[in-house]
Amino acid sequence: MTKWMSIETAPKDGSTVHVKRVYEGAIIYEGPAVWRTVRFGSLADPITGKTFAEVEDATGWMRIDSEHRVPEPTHWRES
């Protein structure tokens, strides 16, 4: 198995890698992730129609099966 490396050295080319977040010595998250951009649609109150969140493009470490971020990883290794 590949050793864990600092997240700063992880590939940001769309490759799936295994990441983890370590906080105060504890593993907070561990799993697959990919560096990509996702688009979040605007959010509006269904009664008033007032928009409270605009469309947003977010780039970062995302889950591979949904458009959600993973907890900010600190380490990575090849999947």
Side-chain angles (χ1 to χ4, degrees):
M1 184 159 297
T2 310
K3 72 175 195 167
W4 290 102
M5 295 172 276
S6 172
I7 195 64
E8 289 80 17
T9 65
K12 295 181 177 177
D13 61 1
S15 301
T16 299
V17 296
H18 201 82
V19 299
K20 71 177 177 178
R21 175 170 178 72
V22 178
Y23 179 74
E24 294 186 357
I27 297 173
I28 305 300
Y29 174 82
E30 186 174 334
V34 63
W35 182 268
R36 63 187 172 110
T37 300
V38 298
R39 175 165 279 222
F40 298 103
S42 63
L43 298 173
D45 183 301
I47 296 171
T48 65
K50 181 178 178 184
T51 300
F52 56 89
E54 299 295 331
V55 173
E56 176 187 359
D57 288 337
T59 301
W61 292 106
M62 305 290 177
R63 296 182 186 273
I64 61 170
D65 57 355
S66 66
E67 293 187 346
H68 294 92
R69 291 182 183 268
V70 298
E72 195 62 38
T74 55
H75 299 80
W76 80 282
R77 68 178 182 207
E78 293 179 0
S79 291

